[in-house]
Structures are given as structure tokens and as C-alpha cells.
Amino acid sequence: MAQAVENAVRYFQRHRALYGDQLILGAPELGVKPAPADQVEGDQLGTLAAFNQDIRNCQKCPLGATRTEFVFGVGNPEADLVFIGEAPGAQEDLAGEPFVGRAGKLLDQILAAIDLSRREVYILNVLKCRPPGNRDPQPPEVEQCEPYLQEQLRIIQPKLIVTLGRVAAKTLLRVDESLQKMRKQVYHYQGVEVRATYHPAALLRNPGWKAPAWEDFQAIRDRYRELTGRPPLVKNGVQVSTGKGM
Ligand code: SF4
């Protein structure tokens, strides 16, 4: 019973973080029962919630001892588009949510510019706990934590992954190239297509990168719509292919 109440509280906290105080009727029902691997479809919320419960007290690497909050991920458990950063920063560590603060707001604006919202995508990091001082993830930490990310992706089953920032791309793809080069390549991870682009925090530090980032996000928008069978975006009777952007 206590577990059910705790799960309900977590669900509504997450719901509030995503949707504010408005109660979204018809939102997927809370469920914490682990689903068999072959029954994932249609029960991703319950399966993800159960997986979160299973791993949120993890102490497999030293970051477990220094974190404030475990940062699982947030968004639509059935998302076709997943964004992956490297690790929680200071604000995420306090909030227990990925991409909060100014960088998170900018990500929300970017999503809105490509006709998406946090409600439609899923956002997570390679590491679930904050590296002290925001240093880059260390290989042993990635080795310990990456199976969690892989399981999340197995449950969500996205059609397109976007890495945010060079470190996330390099860590996930094991490619030691500049972000400039990685942005122009198409990669695959666990059989899913991957595109690399800038981290929103980097765009805040270097506004000059917003123009190339906007090119990336337009390409991401178009590829996402193509992969999911959505028709090209049309506004005012005109197919949207370029725009003012962020
Ligand atoms: S970073 Fe990952 S492996 Fe390390 S303690 Fe946190 S959840 Fe566990």
C-alpha cells in the first residue's frame, strides 16, 4: 500500500513537472508492474516507472554517493524522438529532472520551433547521477550506467535519437570527432538512427552557434516526420522547410 502511494505521488510530481497544474485526463494510467519483454508495447509508462523504481537507489559507481537526486529521464514513454545529454548538472541534480533551468527552457523553445513539446519526446542523459563539478563522464561510470540507458531505449523504442553536445555524442557513439564533423554524420545506436547537435547550454554560452543548431533542428524535424510517417509540416499553406527558428 505504502509503495502504491509513493508511486502515485511520484506520478503526480512527474505529471506536474511535465504538464503543470492542469490535470490531463486520458493521460496514460499509472502502473508499476514490470512487463515481460515481449509485452512492452502499450505499457511503456508502467514498465519505465517500474524500471525507475528498480534502479533509482543505484550505487554501482562512485557518483551514487555524491548525487543529490537520481535523474531517470522525463517525457513521453512512447516517444518516437529521444534526446540524450551527457549527465545531470547542478540544477538537474537538485531537481531530479534532466534539462531544467535556462538550458532546459531553451530546449523547450527549440522544441516549440520545430512543432514539438516535452510531452511528445523523451529526454534523458547517459549518466543518471551528477559528476562532481560537472566534469565529463569517466569511462568506468559510463560502463556501469549505460545498460540503464539501453534498457530505457528498449522500452521506449524511439525511431530517432538526438545527442545534445559533443560529450554525449562522443560517449554514446565512441567517436572522437569534433561536433562539427559529427553533426554532418548519421550514426546508429542499438539499431536506432542518431543525429548529433549542440547542447542548449552551449548555445547560451555561444549565441553564434544558434544558426547552425537551427539547421540541425530543421533537419531533425524533417527526418522525424519522415521516419514516423507524418506529412511534412505545412503552415499557412506553405511547406515548412526553413524558418526564423530559435
Ligand atoms: S551514475 Fe549510473 S551507475 Fe553510477 S551510481 Fe548513478 S545510476 Fe548507478
Side-chain angles (χ1 to χ4, degrees):
M1 182 66 178
Q3 184 67 60
V5 171
E6 188 183 326
N7 288 334
V9 169
R10 279 190 194 288
Y11 172 79
F12 284 111
Q13 285 173 336
R14 190 164 301 278
H15 191 289
R16 191 176 195 186
L18 276 171
Y19 310 129
D21 288 330
Q22 185 188 7
L23 183 61
I24 307 293
L25 297 176
E29 286 185 7
L30 174 69
V32 293
K33 219 175 27 179
D38 60 352
Q39 291 180 15
V40 163
E41 201 172 342
D43 192 26
Q44 279 101 327
L45 177 61
T47 309
L48 268 186
F51 186 53
N52 186 358
Q53 291 300 318
D54 285 348
I55 67 172
R56 62 181 305 104
N57 295 316
C58 176
Q59 295 288 336
K60 279 201 299 176
C61 85
L63 301 183
T66 54
R67 71 172 173 238
T68 308
E69 290 288 338
F70 176 87
V71 182
F72 183 75
V74 70
N76 176 4
E78 298 180 331
D80 288 324
L81 179 56
V82 166
F83 290 90
I84 303 180
E86 61 188 85
Q91 287 173 301
E92 288 80 15
D93 177 59
L94 290 174
E97 297 277 348
F99 288 89
V100 296
R102 288 180 66 217
K105 282 206 175 74
L106 180 56
L107 180 59
D108 290 344
Q109 288 170 6
I110 295 170
L111 291 175
I114 57 170
D115 228 44
L116 286 169
S117 73
R118 282 193 186 226
R119 293 171 58 172
E120 294 167 87
V121 304
Y122 202 88
I123 304 170
L124 70 172
N125 288 305
V126 177
L127 295 187
K128 311 299 178 209
C129 307
R130 182 193 179 206
N134 291 351
R135 63 159 169 74
D136 290 353
Q138 301 293 307
E141 295 160 358
V142 175
E143 192 182 323
Q144 293 294 325
C145 209
E146 192 174 9
Y148 296 155
L149 170 72
Q150 291 171 341
E151 177 63 7
Q152 287 174 291
L153 294 175
R154 189 191 68 79
I155 295 168
I156 298 167
Q157 299 178 14
K159 292 190 166 61
L160 182 61
I161 293 170
V162 176
T163 57
L164 297 169
R166 178 174 177 270
V167 176
K170 187 180 120 179
T171 307
L172 200 70
L173 302 169
R174 272 73 171 175
V175 176
D176 198 5
E177 296 278 7
S178 68
L179 185 59
Q180 292 309 317
K181 276 195 178 165
M182 287 192 276
R183 286 175 53 230
K184 296 183 170 65
Q185 305 287 329
V186 175
Y187 299 95
H188 287 84
Y189 183 77
Q190 288 196 306
V192 182
E193 185 172 315
V194 181
R195 306 287 179 112
T197 189
Y198 298 88
H199 193 289
L203 300 179
L204 290 171
R205 287 193 300 270
N206 302 283
W209 290 347
K210 284 189 176 182
W214 176 232
E215 287 173 17
D216 292 349
F217 276 98
Q218 288 175 100
I220 289 161
R221 173 198 64 203
D222 295 345
R223 186 62 178 145
Y224 163 72
R225 298 185 78 86
E226 191 178 9
L227 285 170
T228 58
R230 289 167 170 82
L233 199 58
V234 174
K235 281 190 178 166
N236 300 324
V238 178
Q239 182 174 325
V240 178
S241 58
T242 57
K244 192 157 178 261
M246 307 177 291

